[in-house]
Amino acid sequence: MDIKFLKYALILIAVGVFLLLWGCPAKQQMVGDADAASKVYVAPGEYDEFYAFMSGGFSGQVTVHGLPSGRLFKTIPVFSQFPENAYGYSEESKPMLMTSYGFIPWDDAHHPELSQTKAVPDGRWLFINGNNTPRVARINLATFETEEIIEIPNSAGNHGSPFVTENTEYVVASTRFSVPVPQKDITISSYKGNFKGTLTFIKVNPADGQMKIAFQILVPGFDYDLAQGGRGASHGWAFFTSYNSEEANTLLEINASKNDKDFIAAVNWKMAEKYLLEGKGKDLEAVHFRNHWSDKSHQASSEKMTKVKVLYPEECPGLIYYLPTPKSPHGVDVDPSGEYIVAGGKLAAVIPVHSFSKMLQAIENKEFEGEIDGIPILNYDAINAGEVQNPGLGPLHTEFDGKGYGYTSAFISSEVVKWKIGTWEVVDRIQVYYSIGHLMIPGGDSGKPWGKYLVALNKITKDRYLPTGPELCQAAQLIDISGEKMKLLLDFPTLGEPHYAQGIPAEILMKNTVKIFPLEENQHPYAVKSEKETRIERKGQEVHIYMSTIRTHFSPDNIEGIKVGDKVYFHITNLEQDWDIPHGFAVTGAQNSELLIMPGQTKTMLWEPRRVGVFPFYCTDFCSALHQEMQGYVRVSPQTSSVELSYGTN
């Protein structure tokens, strides 16, 4: 470890400790302009200009906010059970959380990513990663509901995902923690050379968004951190940061910070497609699940997959190259033109900017510094377009405004730095509060940024909000970037830990919003289309209740003949066909959540009565003036009882 790096690391640690313990002394100096309130004010009855989709981090969910107001509109359940609408609790939705490890009702969701067409966010889908149990989910932005989750095998710590290529041909993913591939029982101390990483390319069907793993690339056992698809000039490539090129397996804060440079992995996925057609992909046993939700049957299904195609770099020349990058790079970001590849070396004193055209020239000229496992290492000077000097302490992530500027978050010095593409000079900087990770400009990671606002996603709030015990809320800050100088407009709290976010003009999504599910299209096997079809059927110890709900009663609402030990399935269809008239359902003693049933939808609750008595059920979602009257009773008799099954309404 050189002296220069040691001094820099000590500065980072000292500043970080100061901010953690005392907050930022300039807090009161940065309260925004006097007219900041007017710039974020959305009058009653008016709409926000942008949707912002924020990762819920350890909540496993996605939250939807409006910009510029910062108002929270919705939590979209993805990887975690969500009692508000029975996601992961209802019988229909449980398959969404199936994995090769079994039913996993939680994950760590980091990076939302909008689908793109011609490098522009198109508003069809939102993808997000599950970091802990490696998964990628796809959210349908017509319904704002999770429609698909695919598990990623041969991976551990699915952090560098789910970033898209220019036309959403692929969602890419990388493994943060290298592991034995395939998994086996070996000593951890044998890490170097025996542990491997994978870069995964998930094919997306352009018609319906359904996902399938197209191939994986087996790579050396580094930690692969984040990714970005190429666009424009670099369409056909994808880029992945990596650190721990030392291949350390313990005390990484020291042992994985020794090399002056780590790498960006540049993958030519069009070349990969060529090698697959030539039969170079090898089948590897890899059990994983693909879970899919249908808005026609209102049910999820799970499909078990057993193999993936794997490409080996040493057998596929030209497939992948390493770009040396200082130091311990975190983010990798591509400018709107696709020419510049920007790395966030979190322990670097500069922001390195690589040139895609120089990279191609260096490949052609074979300007290599060596190779690792068949992957050529390009010469740093040959591919470097420039370095942003004095970028703040701990640069992490960069996005672009479409006007010739990049904006980089600096974690340790808690600031956003604005710099000019081409000259690489810093032209502005603004303090944020505190310890910013990602930042987001609507469209700022695409070919068409809507460069009006920047959202800083901060890790620590300290003194920014009313205290709430030992745990404080996570936070975001809205910054105006429409002018020459950045201006702080708004603080607003967020749910979970907002690692990353995506923004898109509201008008793109609003026109496609689904308001109801047409009853005539409901293909659920237990659906009813009218009260006349409601009934109860017993099949041994299983009882199936075909129930309807409409303002303001259930049918049936009096049920007898249920016995202790029965498995009672309430299949409830909401007969409403009016926007925003869901109905809820809860019954005493249920060991799961309520149901929340949208107009025209059918959902199922499993209820297993364990005691004799008469138990009420009721609507949990306020639906009309007679909402309180929307209730019923279930009589439960002993298991040996001769009480006949009966039911009725009125």
Coordinates of all heavy atoms in Angstrom, one line a residue, residues 574-634:
N574 N -64.4 -9.4 -6.6 CA -65.0 -8.0 -6.5 C -65.8 -7.7 -7.7 O -65.2 -7.6 -8.8 CB -63.8 -7.0 -6.3 CG -64.3 -5.6 -6.1 OD1 -65.5 -5.3 -6.3 ND2 -63.4 -4.7 -5.7
L575 N -67.1 -7.6 -7.6 CA -67.9 -7.4 -8.8 C -68.0 -5.9 -9.3 O -68.6 -5.6 -10.3 CB -69.4 -7.8 -8.4 CG -69.6 -9.3 -8.1 CD1 -71.0 -9.6 -7.7 CD2 -69.1 -10.2 -9.2
E576 N -67.3 -5.0 -8.5 CA -67.3 -3.6 -8.9 C -66.6 -3.5 -10.3 O -65.7 -4.2 -10.6 CB -66.6 -2.8 -7.9 CG -67.0 -2.9 -6.5 CD -68.3 -2.1 -6.2 OE1 -68.8 -1.4 -7.1 OE2 -68.8 -2.1 -5.0
Q577 N -67.1 -2.5 -11.1 CA -66.4 -2.2 -12.3 C -66.2 -0.6 -12.4 O -66.4 0.0 -13.4 CB -67.2 -2.7 -13.5 CG -67.2 -4.2 -13.6 CD -65.9 -4.8 -14.1 OE1 -65.7 -4.9 -15.3 NE2 -65.0 -5.0 -13.1
D578 N -65.9 -0.1 -11.2 CA -65.7 1.3 -11.1 C -64.3 1.6 -10.6 O -63.8 0.9 -9.7 CB -66.7 1.9 -10.2 CG -66.8 3.5 -10.2 OD1 -66.1 4.0 -11.1 OD2 -67.6 4.0 -9.5
W579 N -63.6 2.6 -11.1 CA -62.2 2.8 -10.7 C -62.1 3.2 -9.2 O -62.9 3.9 -8.7 CB -61.7 4.0 -11.6 CG -60.2 4.2 -11.4 CD1 -59.2 3.3 -11.0 CD2 -59.5 5.4 -11.8 NE1 -58.0 3.9 -11.1 CE2 -58.1 5.2 -11.5 CE3 -59.9 6.7 -12.3 CZ2 -57.1 6.2 -11.8 CZ3 -58.9 7.6 -12.6 CH2 -57.6 7.4 -12.3
D580 N -61.1 2.6 -8.6 CA -60.7 2.9 -7.2 C -61.8 2.5 -6.2 O -62.1 3.2 -5.2 CB -60.4 4.4 -7.0 CG -59.7 4.6 -5.7 OD1 -58.9 3.7 -5.2 OD2 -59.9 5.7 -5.1
I581 N -62.5 1.3 -6.5 CA -63.4 0.8 -5.5 C -62.9 -0.7 -5.2 O -63.5 -1.6 -5.6 CB -64.9 0.7 -6.0 CG1 -65.3 2.1 -6.5 CG2 -65.8 0.2 -4.9 CD1 -65.4 3.2 -5.3
P582 N -61.8 -0.8 -4.5 CA -61.4 -2.1 -4.0 C -62.3 -2.5 -2.8 O -62.9 -1.6 -2.2 CB -59.9 -1.9 -3.6 CG -59.8 -0.5 -3.3 CD -60.8 0.3 -4.1
H583 N -62.3 -3.7 -2.5 CA -62.9 -4.2 -1.2 C -61.9 -5.0 -0.5 O -61.0 -5.7 -1.1 CB -64.2 -5.0 -1.5 CG -65.3 -4.2 -1.9 ND1 -65.9 -3.3 -1.1 CD2 -66.0 -4.2 -3.1 CE1 -66.9 -2.7 -1.8 NE2 -67.0 -3.3 -3.0
G584 N -61.9 -5.0 0.8 CA -61.0 -5.8 1.6 C -61.8 -7.0 2.2 O -63.0 -7.0 2.2
F585 N -61.1 -7.9 2.8 CA -61.7 -9.1 3.5 C -60.7 -9.5 4.6 O -59.5 -9.8 4.3 CB -61.9 -10.2 2.5 CG -62.5 -11.4 3.2 CD1 -63.9 -11.5 3.4 CD2 -61.7 -12.5 3.6 CE1 -64.4 -12.7 4.1 CE2 -62.2 -13.6 4.2 CZ -63.6 -13.7 4.5
A586 N -61.3 -9.7 5.8 CA -60.5 -10.3 6.9 C -61.5 -11.1 7.7 O -62.7 -10.8 7.8 CB -59.9 -9.2 7.7
V587 N -61.0 -12.2 8.3 CA -61.8 -13.0 9.2 C -61.0 -13.3 10.5 O -59.8 -13.5 10.4 CB -62.2 -14.3 8.5 CG1 -60.9 -15.1 8.0 CG2 -63.1 -15.2 9.3
T588 N -61.7 -13.3 11.6 CA -61.0 -13.5 12.9 C -60.3 -14.8 12.9 O -60.8 -15.9 12.5 CB -62.1 -13.5 14.0 OG1 -62.8 -12.3 14.0 CG2 -61.4 -13.7 15.4
G589 N -59.0 -14.8 13.4 CA -58.2 -16.0 13.5 C -57.4 -16.4 12.3 O -56.7 -17.4 12.4
A590 N -57.5 -15.6 11.3 CA -56.7 -15.9 10.1 C -55.2 -15.7 10.4 O -54.9 -14.7 11.0 CB -57.1 -15.1 8.9
Q591 N -54.4 -16.6 10.0 CA -52.9 -16.5 10.2 C -52.2 -16.0 9.0 O -51.1 -16.4 8.7 CB -52.4 -17.9 10.7 CG -53.0 -18.4 12.0 CD -52.3 -19.6 12.5 OE1 -52.2 -20.6 11.7 NE2 -52.0 -19.6 13.8
N592 N -52.8 -15.0 8.4 CA -52.2 -14.3 7.3 C -52.8 -12.9 7.2 O -53.4 -12.5 8.2 CB -52.4 -15.1 5.9 CG -53.8 -15.5 5.8 OD1 -54.8 -14.9 6.3 ND2 -54.0 -16.7 5.1
S593 N -52.6 -12.2 6.2 CA -53.1 -10.8 6.1 C -54.5 -10.8 5.6 O -55.1 -11.8 5.2 CB -52.2 -10.0 5.2 OG -52.5 -10.3 3.9
E594 N -55.1 -9.6 5.6 CA -56.3 -9.3 4.9 C -56.1 -9.5 3.4 O -55.0 -9.6 2.9 CB -56.8 -7.9 5.1 CG -55.7 -6.8 4.7 CD -56.3 -5.7 3.8 OE1 -57.5 -5.5 3.8 OE2 -55.5 -5.1 3.1
L595 N -57.2 -9.5 2.6 CA -57.2 -9.5 1.2 C -57.6 -8.0 0.8 O -58.4 -7.4 1.4 CB -58.1 -10.4 0.5 CG -57.9 -11.9 0.8 CD1 -59.0 -12.7 0.1 CD2 -56.5 -12.4 0.3
L596 N -57.0 -7.5 -0.3 CA -57.4 -6.3 -0.9 C -57.7 -6.6 -2.4 O -56.7 -7.0 -3.1 CB -56.4 -5.2 -0.8 CG -56.8 -3.8 -1.2 CD1 -58.0 -3.3 -0.3 CD2 -55.7 -2.8 -1.1
I597 N -58.9 -6.5 -2.8 CA -59.4 -7.1 -4.1 C -59.8 -5.9 -5.0 O -60.7 -5.2 -4.7 CB -60.5 -8.1 -3.9 CG1 -60.2 -9.1 -2.8 CG2 -60.8 -8.8 -5.2 CD1 -61.4 -9.4 -1.9
M598 N -59.1 -5.8 -6.1 CA -59.4 -4.7 -7.0 C -60.7 -5.0 -7.8 O -61.1 -6.2 -7.9 CB -58.2 -4.5 -8.0 CG -56.9 -4.1 -7.3 SD -57.1 -2.5 -6.4 CE -56.8 -3.0 -4.8
P599 N -61.3 -4.0 -8.4 CA -62.5 -4.2 -9.2 C -62.3 -5.2 -10.3 O -61.4 -5.1 -11.1 CB -62.8 -2.8 -9.8 CG -62.2 -1.9 -8.8 CD -61.0 -2.6 -8.3
G600 N -63.1 -6.3 -10.3 CA -63.0 -7.3 -11.3 C -62.0 -8.4 -11.0 O -61.9 -9.3 -11.8
Q601 N -61.4 -8.4 -9.9 CA -60.3 -9.3 -9.5 C -60.9 -10.4 -8.5 O -61.8 -10.1 -7.8 CB -59.2 -8.5 -8.9 CG -57.9 -9.3 -8.7 CD -56.8 -8.4 -8.1 OE1 -57.0 -7.7 -7.1 NE2 -55.7 -8.4 -8.8
T602 N -60.2 -11.5 -8.5 CA -60.5 -12.6 -7.6 C -59.2 -12.9 -6.8 O -58.1 -13.0 -7.3 CB -60.9 -13.9 -8.3 OG1 -62.1 -13.6 -9.1 CG2 -61.2 -15.0 -7.3
K603 N -59.4 -13.0 -5.4 CA -58.3 -13.4 -4.6 C -58.8 -14.4 -3.6 O -60.0 -14.5 -3.3 CB -57.7 -12.2 -3.8 CG -56.8 -11.3 -4.7 CD -56.1 -10.2 -3.8 CE -55.2 -9.3 -4.7 NZ -54.5 -8.3 -3.8
T604 N -57.8 -15.2 -3.0 CA -58.1 -16.3 -2.2 C -57.4 -16.2 -0.8 O -56.2 -15.9 -0.8 CB -57.7 -17.6 -2.8 OG1 -58.5 -17.7 -4.0 CG2 -58.1 -18.8 -1.9
M605 N -58.1 -16.4 0.3 CA -57.5 -16.5 1.6 C -57.8 -17.9 2.1 O -58.9 -18.4 2.0 CB -58.2 -15.5 2.6 CG -57.6 -15.7 4.0 SD -58.5 -14.6 5.2 CE -57.9 -13.0 4.8
L606 N -56.7 -18.5 2.6 CA -56.8 -19.8 3.3 C -57.0 -19.5 4.8 O -56.2 -18.9 5.4 CB -55.6 -20.6 3.1 CG -55.4 -21.9 3.9 CD1 -56.6 -22.9 3.6 CD2 -54.1 -22.6 3.6
W607 N -58.1 -20.1 5.3 CA -58.4 -19.9 6.8 C -58.6 -21.3 7.4 O -59.3 -22.2 6.8 CB -59.7 -19.2 6.9 CG -60.2 -18.8 8.3 CD1 -59.5 -18.2 9.3 CD2 -61.4 -19.2 8.9 NE1 -60.2 -18.1 10.4 CE2 -61.4 -18.7 10.2 CE3 -62.6 -19.9 8.5 CZ2 -62.5 -18.8 11.1 CZ3 -63.7 -20.0 9.3 CH2 -63.6 -19.5 10.7
E608 N -57.9 -21.6 8.5 CA -57.9 -22.9 9.1 C -58.4 -22.7 10.6 O -57.6 -22.5 11.5 CB -56.5 -23.5 9.1 CG -56.0 -23.8 7.7 CD -54.7 -24.5 7.7 OE1 -54.6 -25.7 8.0 OE2 -53.7 -23.8 7.3
P609 N -59.7 -22.8 10.8 CA -60.3 -22.6 12.1 C -59.8 -23.7 13.1 O -59.8 -24.8 12.8 CB -61.8 -22.7 11.9 CG -61.9 -23.5 10.7 CD -60.8 -23.2 9.8
R610 N -59.4 -23.2 14.3 CA -58.8 -24.1 15.3 C -59.7 -24.2 16.5 O -59.4 -24.9 17.5 CB -57.4 -23.6 15.7 CG -56.4 -23.9 14.5 CD -55.1 -23.3 14.9 NE -54.0 -23.7 14.0 CZ -53.8 -23.3 12.7 NH1 -54.6 -22.4 12.2 NH2 -52.9 -23.8 12.0
R611 N -60.8 -23.5 16.6 CA -61.7 -23.5 17.7 C -63.1 -23.4 17.3 O -63.4 -22.8 16.3 CB -61.3 -22.5 18.7 CG -61.5 -21.0 18.2 CD -61.1 -20.0 19.3 NE -59.6 -20.0 19.6 CZ -59.0 -19.0 20.3 NH1 -59.8 -18.1 20.8 NH2 -57.8 -19.1 20.4
V612 N -64.0 -23.9 18.2 CA -65.5 -23.8 17.9 C -65.9 -22.4 18.3 O -65.4 -21.7 19.2 CB -66.2 -24.8 18.8 CG1 -67.7 -24.6 18.8 CG2 -65.9 -26.2 18.4
G613 N -66.9 -21.9 17.5 CA -67.5 -20.6 17.7 C -68.1 -20.0 16.5 O -68.2 -20.6 15.4
V614 N -68.5 -18.7 16.6 CA -69.0 -18.0 15.5 C -68.1 -16.8 15.3 O -67.9 -16.0 16.2 CB -70.5 -17.5 15.8 CG1 -71.0 -16.6 14.6 CG2 -71.4 -18.7 16.0
F615 N -67.6 -16.6 14.1 CA -66.5 -15.7 13.8 C -66.9 -14.7 12.8 O -67.4 -15.1 11.7 CB -65.2 -16.4 13.4 CG -64.7 -17.4 14.5 CD1 -65.1 -18.8 14.4 CD2 -64.0 -17.0 15.5 CE1 -64.7 -19.7 15.3 CE2 -63.6 -17.9 16.5 CZ -63.9 -19.3 16.4
P616 N -66.7 -13.4 13.0 CA -67.1 -12.4 12.0 C -66.0 -12.3 10.9 O -64.8 -12.5 11.1 CB -67.2 -11.1 12.9 CG -66.2 -11.4 14.0 CD -66.2 -12.8 14.3
F617 N -66.5 -11.8 9.8 CA -65.6 -11.4 8.7 C -66.1 -10.0 8.2 O -67.3 -9.7 8.4 CB -65.4 -12.4 7.6 CG -66.7 -12.8 6.9 CD1 -67.3 -12.0 5.9 CD2 -67.3 -14.0 7.2 CE1 -68.5 -12.4 5.2 CE2 -68.5 -14.4 6.6 CZ -69.0 -13.6 5.6
Y618 N -65.3 -9.2 7.6 CA -65.7 -7.8 7.3 C -64.8 -7.3 6.2 O -63.7 -7.8 5.9 CB -65.7 -6.9 8.5 CG -64.3 -6.7 9.1 CD1 -63.6 -5.5 8.9 CD2 -63.6 -7.7 9.9 CE1 -62.3 -5.3 9.4 CE2 -62.4 -7.5 10.4 CZ -61.7 -6.3 10.2 OH -60.5 -6.1 10.7
C619 N -65.3 -6.2 5.6 CA -64.5 -5.4 4.6 C -63.5 -4.5 5.3 O -63.9 -3.7 6.2 CB -65.4 -4.6 3.7 SG -64.6 -3.6 2.5
T620 N -62.3 -4.5 4.9 CA -61.2 -3.7 5.6 C -60.9 -2.4 4.8 O -60.2 -1.6 5.4 CB -59.9 -4.6 5.6 OG1 -59.6 -5.0 4.3 CG2 -60.1 -5.7 6.6
D621 N -61.4 -2.2 3.6 CA -61.1 -1.0 2.9 C -62.4 -0.2 2.7 O -63.4 -0.6 2.2 CB -60.6 -1.4 1.5 CG -60.1 -0.2 0.7 OD1 -58.9 0.1 0.9 OD2 -60.9 0.4 0.0
F622 N -62.3 1.0 3.2 CA -63.5 1.9 3.2 C -64.0 2.1 1.8 O -63.4 2.6 0.9 CB -63.2 3.3 3.8 CG -64.4 4.1 4.1 CD1 -65.0 4.0 5.4 CD2 -65.0 4.8 3.2 CE1 -66.2 4.7 5.7 CE2 -66.2 5.6 3.4 CZ -66.8 5.5 4.7
C623 N -65.3 1.7 1.6 CA -65.8 1.6 0.2 C -67.1 2.5 0.0 O -67.5 2.8 -1.1 CB -66.1 0.2 -0.1 SG -67.2 -0.7 1.1
S624 N -67.8 2.8 1.1 CA -69.0 3.6 1.0 C -69.5 4.0 2.3 O -68.9 3.7 3.4 CB -70.1 2.7 0.3 OG -70.6 1.7 1.2
A625 N -70.6 4.7 2.4 CA -71.2 5.2 3.6 C -71.6 4.0 4.5 O -71.7 4.2 5.8 CB -72.4 6.1 3.4
L626 N -71.9 2.9 3.9 CA -72.3 1.7 4.7 C -71.2 0.7 4.8 O -71.5 -0.5 5.0 CB -73.6 1.1 4.1 CG -74.8 2.0 4.1 CD1 -76.0 1.3 3.4 CD2 -75.2 2.3 5.5
H627 N -70.0 1.2 4.8 CA -68.8 0.3 4.9 C -68.9 -0.5 6.2 O -68.6 -1.7 6.2 CB -67.5 1.1 4.8 CG -66.3 0.4 5.3 ND1 -65.8 -0.6 4.5 CD2 -65.5 0.5 6.4 CE1 -64.7 -1.1 5.2 NE2 -64.5 -0.4 6.3
Q628 N -69.2 0.1 7.3 CA -69.3 -0.6 8.6 C -70.2 -1.7 8.6 O -70.1 -2.7 9.3 CB -69.6 0.4 9.7 CG -68.6 1.4 10.1 CD -67.3 0.7 10.7 OE1 -66.4 0.5 10.0 NE2 -67.4 0.4 12.0
E629 N -71.3 -1.6 7.8 CA -72.3 -2.7 7.7 C -71.9 -3.9 6.8 O -72.6 -4.9 6.7 CB -73.6 -2.1 7.2 CG -74.4 -1.3 8.2 CD -73.8 0.1 8.5 OE1 -72.9 0.5 7.7 OE2 -74.3 0.7 9.4
M630 N -70.7 -3.7 6.2 CA -70.3 -4.8 5.3 C -69.6 -5.9 6.1 O -68.3 -5.8 6.3 CB -69.3 -4.2 4.2 CG -69.1 -5.0 3.0 SD -68.4 -4.1 1.7 CE -68.2 -5.4 0.5
Q631 N -70.3 -6.9 6.5 CA -69.8 -7.9 7.4 C -70.6 -9.2 7.3 O -71.6 -9.2 6.6 CB -69.8 -7.4 8.8 CG -71.3 -7.2 9.4 CD -71.3 -6.6 10.8 OE1 -70.7 -5.6 11.1 NE2 -72.0 -7.3 11.7
G632 N -70.1 -10.2 7.9 CA -70.8 -11.5 7.9 C -70.2 -12.4 9.0 O -69.4 -12.0 9.8
Y633 N -70.8 -13.6 9.1 CA -70.4 -14.6 10.2 C -70.1 -16.0 9.6 O -70.8 -16.4 8.6 CB -71.5 -14.7 11.2 CG -71.7 -13.4 12.0 CD1 -72.7 -12.5 11.7 CD2 -70.8 -13.2 13.1 CE1 -72.8 -11.4 12.5 CE2 -71.0 -12.0 13.9 CZ -72.0 -11.1 13.6 OH -72.2 -10.0 14.3
V634 N -69.2 -16.6 10.2 CA -68.9 -18.1 9.9 C -69.1 -18.8 11.2 O -68.4 -18.5 12.2 CB -67.5 -18.3 9.4 CG1 -67.3 -19.8 9.1 CG2 -67.2 -17.4 8.2

